[in-house]
Amino acid sequence: MTTNELKQILADGAWRQNTGLVVLLGLCPLLAVTNTLVNGLALGLATMLTLMVSNLSVSILRGLLKPEIRIPAFVLIIASVVTVIELLMHAYFYDLYRILGIFIPLIVTNCAIIGRAEAFASRNSPLPSLVDGFATGLGFCITLVLLGALRELTGRGTLLAGADTLVGEWGRHLTLTIIPEHPGFLLAMLPPGAFFGLALLIAARNAWQARRPAQAANTLLLDSHET
Amino acid sequence: MNNPSHPVLRSGVLLGLIALLGTGLLAGVNELTHERILEQEKNRVLQQLNAIVPLASYNNNLLEDVIEIEDEVFFHHPESLTVYRARMDGRPVAVLMNVLATDGYNGDIRLLAGIDSSGVVLGVRVLSHRETPGLGDPIDIEKSDWILGFTHRSLLNTQTKDWAVKRDGGQFDQFTGATISPRAVVNAVHNTLLYFAANQQLLFETMPEREGRDDH
């Protein structure tokens, strides 16, 4: 595995095959928890951790996994990893756990995770699989953070509200009031705002991509192959 | 079929092993976090209770001095409600009642109402609700101070007809575009006070006397 190949994996996961913006997997948590930046970041990090651990375990066990049992085995591995993360959050990030609630166990159902296990980790050795998990998780996390920031800013005029649930008491001072006396824009905070926000992000990414013709064609090809 | 190297058998055993591994991992982490999770849950309840009854005003173990009540006549629903009793050296100080308002706009509104031994409201908080964001949710202290309007109210200083939102001729504000949520909360608090007045004796009844609080 050369550094170049690893770089390639990173770029694929985080940008070219971005789970949220290109492959469009795992949209349920993506849309549901991104009403603030901090919530998005927290679920993004949890998902990233899940992806890394599940990719690594699947890759290590890949020699043993016969095709006919690989899917149930993936599900077992992913469910175990997610439940461990849930228990740890419940114990050590209690406030955050209360906010994210059901969406932590629902990470199991994020098809991006089983997708990476099947498409990548079951065919590659542990290191690239770990990097792939990290890259895919990073891409997902960045999308969640961007969407969270966008909705929080338009919805309540702040950024980083509720940071104390992630980092403890001192996080209260992190909240930035960007637009003082913001009257509150409910649409952005409710689920429809998530759809609008995601649409804007996807459009922005496509517009950016369209300005680089050679690579755009390449991406399109990969997309149709992947989905 | 009895051949142990049969592929189906092998796959089954392998899957079983993975399940075992996962279960073992979960059992271990559960063991590690169990205590702390319980403590976190307990702290949260205590925090909610202490927001209404100051820590200095009682010295019993609130979380253990608990009774369950149910009374369909007063509360109009059959569910049993938890009551925490605060005492100072065994003398009644206040009760904190988990109350349910079943007539909200969207599902039940869970409240915690604190009433001192003379029947005056110490404070009310919404524990959970599903009222419309932006319309009905100012009942939540995180959204507005409305809920603090119950503090110091009692059946003596607020007449029965005044236990209503202003639109219904009472003394409590409704919200722009939302009357149902505040109305439900006002009714629930009023019912709780009525229940308290009728059952005060029972509410403070002690089980076998406890020693002073054994934590904090």
Side-chain angles (χ1 to χ4, degrees):
Chain A
M1 220 358 90
T2 65
T3 334
N4 239 351
E5 278 169 299
L6 288 182
K7 268 190 195 150
Q8 188 71 18
I9 297 173
L10 258 178
D12 268 342
W15 177 253
R16 279 196 291 274
Q17 293 295 313
N18 185 300
T19 313
L21 298 179
V22 181
V23 190
L24 301 183
L25 286 180
L27 291 190
C28 167
L30 185 115
L31 295 168
V33 303
T34 51
N35 46 12
T36 66
L37 193 161
V38 171
N39 289 358
L41 178 66
L43 192 82
L45 289 176
T47 309
M48 185 174 4
L49 194 63
T50 310
L51 266 162
M52 288 166 71
V53 180
S54 89
N55 261 13
L56 188 65
S57 336
V58 167
S59 171
I60 290 170
L61 295 173
R62 74 186 187 287
L64 295 170
L65 296 176
K66 294 260 171 288
E68 60 270 26
I69 58 157
R70 68 183 199 290
I71 299 287
F74 293 165
V75 172
L76 274 171
I77 292 170
I78 296 167
S80 307
V81 172
V82 170
T83 313
V84 166
I85 291 176
E86 187 197 356
L87 284 172
L88 291 175
M89 273 186 92
H90 198 162
Y92 298 100
F93 297 93
Y94 185 67
D95 289 327
L96 203 59
Y97 173 82
R98 277 186 35 244
I99 294 172
L100 295 178
I102 184 70
F103 292 101
I104 296 294
L106 278 183
I107 292 176
V108 177
T109 65
N110 187 334
C111 5
I113 297 169
I114 203 163
R116 292 326 289 171
E118 166 77 5
F120 197 96
S122 65
R123 296 166 196 175
N124 289 283
S125 49
L127 178 65
S129 297
L130 186 66
V131 174
D132 178 74
F134 172 75
T136 311
L138 185 68
F140 190 65
C141 187
I142 289 173
T143 314
L144 282 165
V145 167
L146 280 180
L147 191 54
L150 189 70
R151 290 177 67 193
E152 188 180 341
L153 194 60
T154 44
R156 27 201 284 194
T158 61
L159 281 179
L160 287 168
D164 52 301
T165 57
L166 195 59
V167 295
E169 266 318 296
W170 67 272
R172 282 188 198 283
H173 309 294
L174 286 178
T175 304
L176 304 169
T177 308
I178 310 288
I179 308 168
E181 305 291 322
H182 191 281
F185 181 47
L186 200 58
L187 182 67
M189 300 304 285
L190 292 179
F195 284 97
F196 287 127
L198 183 66
L200 288 175
L201 287 182
I202 294 174
R205 187 191 180 284
N206 286 349
W208 194 86
Q209 209 59 335
R211 294 175 59 181
R212 311 168 72 223
Q215 216 175 341
N218 187 15
T219 310
L220 268 178
L221 219 96
L222 272 171
D223 285 355
S224 51
H225 172 73
E226 188 80 10
T227 49
Chain B
M1 255 335 246
N2 289 329
N3 184 354
S5 64
H6 192 279
V8 173
L9 202 62
R10 252 200 60 184
S11 297
V13 168
L14 190 61
L15 210 51
L17 279 179
I18 293 176
L20 211 61
L21 209 71
T23 315
L25 181 72
L26 285 190
V29 175
N30 184 45
E31 196 55 43
L32 276 176
T33 52
H34 182 71
E35 285 282 307
R36 202 180 150 97
I37 289 174
L38 279 184
E39 199 176 309
Q40 295 268 31
E41 301 278 358
K42 217 168 96 178
N43 280 343
R44 165 142 176 90
V45 177
L46 253 186
Q47 234 172 42
Q48 286 168 334
L49 297 175
N50 286 334
I52 296 176
V53 181
L55 201 55
S57 67
Y58 66 94
N59 64 3
N60 62 329
N61 186 345
L62 256 191
L63 291 180
E64 306 224 328
D65 200 344
V66 169
I67 52 168
E68 298 283 329
I69 54 162
E70 45 191 276
D71 196 317
E72 234 184 309
V73 180
F74 282 99
F75 297 116
H76 312 294
H77 63 76
E79 289 198 42
S80 84
L81 304 167
T82 309
V83 181
Y84 303 88
R85 288 96 57 92
R87 305 171 200 274
M88 187 62 139
D89 302 328
R91 191 167 38 79
V93 172
V95 287
L96 291 137
M97 300 173 63
N98 268 326
V99 189
L100 207 58
T102 49
D103 46 356
Y105 190 70
N106 183 19
D108 295 344
I109 302 171
R110 292 197 171 271
L111 301 164
L112 183 68
I115 303 171
D116 77 9
S117 51
S118 58
V120 176
V121 175
L122 285 172
V124 182
R125 293 290 182 281
V126 173
L127 298 181
S128 70
H129 73 89
R130 287 186 294 157
E131 302 303 291
T132 320
L135 289 176
D137 69 353
I139 55 170
D140 194 334
I141 187 105
E142 307 225 319
K143 297 284 153 62
S144 85
D145 286 344
W146 179 80
I147 200 89
L148 298 179
F150 289 106
T151 313
H152 306 310
R153 298 268 181 184
S154 70
L155 293 177
L156 292 176
N157 66 24
T158 310
Q159 308 268 307
T160 299
K161 69 171 173 53
D162 293 328
W163 280 98
V165 293
K166 285 182 177 156
R167 176 180 293 173
D168 301 340
Q171 289 193 352
F172 296 90
D173 288 326
Q174 61 259 356
F175 312 131
T176 317
T179 317
I180 295 174
S181 318
R183 185 189 282 147
V185 176
V186 170
N187 283 340
V189 175
H190 188 211
N191 290 341
T192 309
L193 279 175
L194 291 172
Y195 178 86
F196 180 87
N199 297 286
Q200 185 165 4
Q201 210 67 28
L202 179 149
L203 279 172
F204 278 116
E205 216 155 73
T206 34
M207 294 168 291
E209 197 57 54
R210 284 176 191 285
E211 294 298 303
R213 63 179 153 190
D214 40 30
D215 54 353
H216 45 234

